[in-house]
Amino acid sequence: GESVGLHLPTLSVQEGDNSIINCAYSNSASDYFIWYKQESGKGPQFIIDIRSNMDKRQGQRVTVLLNKTVKHLSLQIAATQPGDSAVYFCAERWEGANNLFFGTGTRLTVIP
Amino acid sequence: DTAVSQTPKYLVTQMGNDKSIKCEQNLGHDTMYWYKQDSKKFLKIMFSYNNKELIINETVPNRFSPKSPDKAHLNLHINSLELGDSAVYFCASSPRMGGSEAFFGQGTRLTVV
């Protein structure tokens, strides 16, 4: 399953499938990006980050891809599990800024 | 051990009241933040605080004021509460300015009636 982030805030996938969550960020001068996962009733939790001098970074079951040309960030989750159901946010840090700016978020629902 | 803890988790209060939300981090981080999350889940930075340097988001009303008694604490005071202040408020901390790997608290759901 694949979302387009800001334009499709919900994504439903079958358990075991791969998920792709997309994010269009705002500032071409952003130098650092993070994906966060927020489960119901909890605060956002760090998943993976990537610096602007990289195109791809892999973690455990997750991969982040960065396309600076079109200001696009994606989070790929392999073999999606019910525990992956949450709202996912991309966040960017503008170069020289002191904090993160968050995108709208995408709600991922995993169907057992 | 809770890395970033906020109290209370829920807060219901009447318009016009003054309230505070407390935040403590035991990570030894230098920087703390307050974020506001609205009903559509949009997270917006309110304040960042590092070594006594306060950076304010200019869109935040001056009824909101952060207070840091020490590096491990950043409390949020809100005066003359309004209905529109209803939201979930998150405290966060990071090792240094710039928001890298910010760790979030569990949030405080504020409801103004």
Side-chain angles (χ1 to χ4, degrees), chain A residues 36 38 43 46 89 93 98 100, chain B residues 35 37 41 55 90 98-99 102 105:
Chain A
Y36 278 90
Q38 186 178 18
F46 173 91
F89 294 94
R93 183 182 67 194
N98 295 306
L100 299 171
Chain B
Y35 281 84
Q37 187 173 48
K41 296 289 188 182
I55 298 172
F90 287 98

Side-chain angles (χ1 to χ4, degrees), chain B residues 76-90:
Chain B
L76 182 64
H77 298 271
I78 316 169
N79 295 325
S80 302
L81 277 154
E82 300 177 357
L83 292 176
D85 298 332
S86 296
V88 181
Y89 292 84
F90 287 98

Side-chain angles (χ1 to χ4, degrees), chain B residues 34-46:
Chain B
W34 278 104
Y35 281 84
K36 178 181 180 180
Q37 187 173 48
D38 63 21
S39 59
K40 297 181 180 178
K41 296 289 188 182
F42 185 64
L43 269 164
K44 185 176 178 182
I45 183 72
M46 299 177 70

Side-chain angles (χ1 to χ4, degrees), chain B residues 90-104:
Chain B
F90 287 98
C91 177
S93 73
S94 64
R96 64 197 72 82
M97 284 295 249
S100 61
E101 260 193 86
F103 290 79
F104 283 78

